[in-house]
Amino acid sequence: MDMRQKDVEVCSQDSTASGGSSKGSLSVASANGSNRFRRGGILPTAICLSKAAIGAGVLSVAAHAAEVGAVYQFACLVLGGLLTLASIRMIANASVETGCWSYEDICDELFHPAMSLFTGFINVCNCLGSAAGYLIVCGQVFQVVFRADDNARNLFVVLVGVFICGPLALARHVGFMRHLAAISVGALLLLVGSVVWYWAQHGIDESVDVESFLLPSSGATVFTYMNSINNMVFAYNNQFNVPQLTGELTPVPSVRKMTKVAFLSTSLCFLLYGSVSIFGVLAFGVADNQKDTLILDLMPARKEWHVVVSLFAVMFSVLTCFQFHVYPIRQFSAYAVRKLRGLPAKAADDEEEIASDGCGGRSLARWLDIACALGAVAVAILIAVVVTSLRSILDFIGAFASAYISYVVPPLWILALRKKGKDFSWLAPEILFSLALLSLGVFFFVFGTYCAIKGA
């Protein structure tokens, strides 16, 4: 039977965070009925997916725009948005056709457990680095608002990680965060408003003219251009949550619905990144005038109440984004534990395991899921305390991990799926496009990583 004619089955997940079951989605749909913001609806799913992307990346896009110029920056934004749409559609196709809702299970289904373990490791690197970046942002906000030293900043990062990120990281479903995600997207608009206000109050920075605004700076090198691309890859990167969110779509997961979700989320990302790129450069200038992030750029205006509010809004926003990066880590843990326990790829739900594995009212899988989530938070805290430069970590993660997850793995899935069909042809448009995206992804992964390390 052709893969596209299969009924959607849910791959077993020892962690309920590792995939949305059709049964659970149907019950949620029936319970919520006409509620347009129910878990699994197109709009809330789009908000969750956009929030998975919009985080620390928005804070550094202006700095990259100041180096490469508005023309190059917007070309990257447009290209990145189109590639993201294509990538998300590929992932949704693979998820629906295999009935699996995590990167690891799809790779296991189409390739080999070794591929799953390698992909899971890269995904964990991507998510841990991103999560650490969000805690770094929290530390910067604390330092700017309270003029704190490094020791106080480190203590604040630890407290935020333990008492805020830790409890939120235990949520079972990505859709649980939909209301917080919607609020946090609005919170970032306050940051844009503060940047526009700063520009209106102080005028265009003296270092900016037409040429420096549109064109690259004189000191730009190939590493500068590539690191700008790395930042764009990271800024749009939300693919790690696509299998999970596809499985949570109601009443039935479908590629068509996920395509609508992808268009809404990517459009929102483009508008936000484009606005920040323009006004960030106009307000704070080019070259050495630009700091590591917009948070540090706003330091001269930290006494203004609305700037303080916007900075705390940014903190709230990135803490919300933090949680979306914990789910893929839990998915990888669930897959690895399931393999160690020798469970089949299509096992029963966690609820059916409680009778045999129950402990304290929860299944063994759920306890392991909780331990993994808290462990991920602890590692992110450690990285955020040791590393203080946001741009360096984002450029590296964007090249090394995000490029692989976004543009290498999805086309490989499509090639593997289509090769099973009787009418497969290497010259088919879908196959040629997949090969082109795969080649581009490998280039980003290899050369982008080299440039990120070289420019660090």
Side-chain angles (χ1 to χ4, degrees):
M1 184 180 294
D2 189 88
M3 291 292 292
R4 278 172 282 186
Q5 295 175 332
K6 289 173 61 181
D7 292 330
V8 174
E9 302 176 42
V10 179
C11 271
S12 83
Q13 305 294 330
D14 281 85
S15 161
T16 54
S18 58
S21 70
S22 299
K23 179 171 61 178
S25 296
L26 286 170
S27 64
V28 171
S30 60
N32 289 280
S34 60
N35 183 3
R36 290 184 178 274
F37 214 71
R38 70 184 186 278
R39 182 168 69 88
I42 290 178
L43 178 59
T45 302
I47 294 295
C48 287
L49 192 60
S50 63
K51 189 62 221 142
I54 302 172
V58 72
L59 301 175
S60 60
V61 291
H64 283 285
E67 292 178 336
V68 300
V71 174
Y72 184 85
Q73 178 82 345
F74 272 86
C76 288
L77 282 172
V78 172
L79 179 62
L82 294 175
L83 292 177
T84 299
L85 287 172
S87 174
I88 292 174
R89 184 176 175 82
M90 288 179 175
I91 298 170
N93 259 306
S95 297
V96 171
E97 293 188 26
T98 62
C100 298
W101 316 113
S102 75
Y103 267 75
E104 293 78 18
D105 282 299
I106 298 174
C107 286
D108 193 303
E109 180 81 9
L110 297 178
F111 298 109
H112 188 273
M115 175 71 168
S116 298
L117 292 173
F118 179 74
T119 299
F121 170 75
I122 297 294
N123 210 1
V124 167
C125 291
N126 176 43
C127 293
L128 280 178
S130 302
Y134 302 141
L135 289 177
I136 291 173
V137 170
C138 293
Q140 288 186 349
V141 170
F142 183 73
Q143 285 186 303
V144 168
V145 174
F146 297 103
R147 300 185 182 181
D149 59 19
D150 289 340
N151 291 331
R153 173 253 182 205
N154 292 341
L155 177 61
F156 179 76
V157 167
V158 172
L159 293 176
V160 167
V162 171
F163 293 105
I164 298 179
C165 297
L168 286 177
L170 303 180
R172 285 175 174 263
H173 302 282
V174 176
F176 165 81
M177 302 293 294
R178 63 192 182 279
H179 297 99
L180 289 176
I183 296 172
S184 66
V185 170
L188 280 179
L189 297 179
L190 294 178
L191 174 68
V192 178
S194 291
V195 173
V196 173
W197 168 85
Y198 191 94
W199 165 66
Q201 285 289 109
H202 300 85
I204 298 176
D205 189 87
E206 60 183 13
S207 64
V208 178
D209 54 31
V210 175
E211 183 179 353
S212 63
F213 177 72
L214 296 176
L215 302 178
S217 63
S218 57
T221 65
V222 64
F223 302 117
T224 306
Y225 293 114
M226 193 64 225
N227 281 331
S228 181
I229 293 177
N230 292 341
N231 182 257
M232 286 301 102
V233 173
F234 175 85
Y236 277 115
N237 180 236
N238 53 18
Q239 286 87 337
F240 49 85
N241 281 142
V242 171
Q244 167 81 13
L245 288 171
T246 301
E248 292 184 13
L249 287 172
T250 58
V252 179
S254 72
V255 177
R256 183 178 180 181
K257 290 180 181 177
M258 203 61 201
T259 301
K260 293 179 180 179
V261 169
F263 178 79
L264 291 174
S265 64
T266 305
S267 298
L268 180 59
C269 291
F270 176 82
L271 292 174
L272 189 58
Y273 296 149
S275 301
V276 171
S277 295
I278 292 174
F279 292 107
V281 173
L282 292 177
F284 304 113
V286 297
D288 295 336
N289 289 24
Q290 280 282 346
K291 304 296 189 300
D292 188 52
T293 66
L294 289 176
I295 293 173
L296 299 180
D297 285 326
L298 286 168
M299 184 177 288
R302 62 178 176 270
K303 294 183 179 180
E304 300 290 339
W305 68 268
H306 55 86
V307 172
V308 173
V309 170
S310 68
L311 292 179
F312 279 109
V314 168
M315 185 187 299
F316 169 78
S317 183
V318 296
L319 287 176
T320 302
C321 198
F322 183 101
Q323 314 313 318
F324 289 95
H325 290 76
V326 175
Y327 281 94
I329 301 172
R330 293 163 60 185
Q331 287 178 322
F332 177 62
S333 174
Y335 173 83
V337 170
R338 193 179 70 233
K339 284 296 181 183
L340 289 174
R341 297 171 65 194
L343 294 179
K346 306 284 184 182
D349 291 338
D350 280 344
E351 290 75 12
E352 297 175 1
E353 256 190 276
I354 293 178
S356 59
D357 288 337
C359 180
R362 292 184 175 88
S363 67
L364 174 61
R366 178 57 178 160
W367 281 115
L368 292 172
D369 177 44
I370 291 173
C372 173
L374 296 179
V377 173
V379 174
I381 292 172
L382 178 62
I383 297 173
V385 169
V386 174
V387 181
T388 58
S389 175
L390 184 65
R391 278 188 60 182
S392 297
I393 194 171
L394 296 192
D395 290 347
F396 178 77
I397 292 299
F400 175 70
S402 299
Y404 177 82
I405 294 301
S406 302
Y407 305 126
V408 174
V409 177
L412 285 176
W413 288 344
I414 295 300
L415 293 173
L417 285 169
R418 299 300 174 253
K419 284 188 70 175
K420 295 182 179 181
K422 295 181 180 180
D423 56 348
F424 174 78
S425 171
W426 287 104
L427 298 179
E430 184 182 26
I431 300 303
L432 292 175
F433 180 77
S434 298
L435 290 172
L437 184 60
L438 174 61
S439 301
L440 186 63
V442 171
F443 172 75
F444 287 166
F445 180 63
V446 176
F447 187 65
T449 301
Y450 171 75
C451 290
I453 296 173
K454 194 77 173 178

